[in-house]
Amino acid sequence: MVDIDNLRGWIGRSQEKSDTITPRLVESYNAIFDASSSPAPGDAAPLGIHWCLAPDIAPMSALGPDGHPARGGFLPPVPLPRRMWAGGHVDFSGEFHVGDSVTKRSHIEDVTAKTGRSGALVFVTVRHDYLTPRGVVLSERQDIVYRDQDTKAASAVAGQTKSDPVTEPVHADHSRQIDASATLLFRYSALTFNGHRIHYDLPYATGEEHYPGLVFHGPLQASYLMRLAAETAARPLQTFSYRSVAPLFGGGAVSIHANRKQDEIDLWVADSQHKPTMKAAAT
């Protein structure tokens, strides 16, 4: 049972953490996207790097069986076994620079309970503000979803499997192909200090959480889309909203797409059967 009244007691909790955008972090991040660079202090840092800053760091003895830090600290101790990104919204008010000392201020905005096809769902909304010596550079609302364990394949959650029939691709003005290799997922997990085993431990992902393969990170999908949006716009982004619509699994071809409509850009990630897994919009 989910005691939602108890969990809502976490609303208003806050924490503050600091990090530094080092040349090594930027070079490692760019390498994931095959973007060569020789970052120097003062250079603009790449879009999406904020998801690599100030991660939750816990000793091995404080990890849960899924590789996440044990619950009950900053985030509420939701008694549902699966935790995943649901979506969010980013407002840009500046840019990060290589060498910046960044303060990440976070607080819990809301905790709600719903019922989905897989059973009970709990949504936790978190607000993150990233401050540099020049003030707030980026603000993000992040939606996290917790849900029941499901012993069936991931299709019970997403309504899709790798064996589903291929659909016709949606027209896109701009498209890119990604090799969703296990190495890519492992490197992003390492860069973000994300111990969640569904991203790199195939026996755990398939045997314990009953996915058909390794799970492609939500923030990695969002980073690909954010970078494509900036490339398409050829101007600084003002906002970026994203929403996960189905899990995406590694080991196959993945594509990212964009259509520009005046000052707004529609974006999406599609799996090997052309089915969307994340949708986004940028201005």
Side-chain angles (χ1 to χ4, degrees):
M1 292 292 293
V2 174
D3 184 352
I4 192 62
D5 290 334
N6 175 58
L7 297 178
R8 286 183 61 81
W10 260 253
I11 295 175
R13 290 203 179 194
S14 62
Q15 70 175 14
E16 184 174 301
K17 304 174 76 173
S18 297
D19 207 341
T20 302
I21 302 178
T22 65
R24 181 191 178 280
L25 174 63
V26 173
E27 188 171 9
S28 300
Y29 180 79
N30 282 337
I32 285 179
F33 300 93
D34 276 326
S36 60
S37 63
S38 299
D43 289 349
L47 288 171
I49 201 166
H50 69 283
W51 284 313
C52 302
L53 298 175
D56 291 329
I57 298 177
M60 296 299 294
S61 58
L63 298 181
D66 61 357
H68 273 308
R71 303 178 189 189
F74 170 64
L75 291 173
V78 179
L80 298 174
R82 283 186 170 177
R83 184 176 90 186
M84 302 184 74
W85 268 36
H89 177 87
V90 176
D91 288 300
F92 301 92
S93 52
E95 65 179 9
F96 295 107
H97 294 167
V98 178
D100 274 347
S101 295
V102 181
T103 299
K104 178 182 177 182
R105 292 177 180 168
S106 308
H107 71 273
I108 308 295
E109 283 194 339
D110 200 8
V111 181
T112 58
K114 298 181 181 179
T115 301
R117 286 183 295 176
S118 61
L121 300 172
V122 173
F123 289 86
V124 178
T125 302
V126 186
R127 174 70 57 181
H128 303 292
D129 292 313
Y130 293 81
L131 293 84
T132 72
R134 299 173 301 284
V136 176
V137 166
L138 183 150
S139 296
E140 179 182 15
R141 187 203 77 242
Q142 188 180 94
D143 301 319
I144 304 168
V145 62
Y146 297 78
R147 60 179 177 80
D148 278 330
Q149 180 69 281
D150 188 352
T151 58
K152 298 179 181 180
S155 58
V157 178
Q160 70 172 36
T161 67
K162 288 187 173 181
S163 61
D164 278 351
V166 176
T167 60
E168 288 297 319
V170 177
H171 169 77
D173 296 328
H174 306 273
S175 296
R176 302 286 186 274
Q177 298 298 315
I178 301 167
D179 179 13
S181 67
T183 304
L184 171 68
L185 303 186
F186 173 80
R187 293 181 91 182
Y188 191 75
S189 287
L191 191 62
T192 57
F193 206 71
N194 183 350
H196 200 181
R197 294 168 65 185
I198 61 173
H199 301 303
Y200 60 87
D201 186 340
L202 185 60
Y204 174 84
T206 57
E208 295 295 325
E209 300 219 15
H210 306 283
Y211 287 115
L214 295 176
V215 179
F216 201 107
H217 311 69
L220 182 53
Q221 293 184 63
S223 295
Y224 273 110
L225 293 181
M226 187 179 286
R227 293 166 69 95
L228 181 59
E231 179 184 335
T232 302
R235 286 191 292 168
L237 300 183
Q238 293 182 336
T239 67
F240 178 82
S241 299
Y242 59 94
R243 178 171 60 92
S244 295
V245 295
L248 177 62
F249 304 104
V254 171
S255 55
I256 58 174
H257 309 273
N259 283 324
R260 181 171 178 176
K261 302 175 182 177
Q262 296 182 339
D263 286 337
E264 183 166 306
I265 304 170
D266 292 330
L267 306 117
W268 67 97
V269 178
D271 65 13
S272 58
Q273 285 116 16
H274 310 302
K275 294 183 178 179
T277 60
M278 177 175 284
K279 296 182 178 181
T283 62

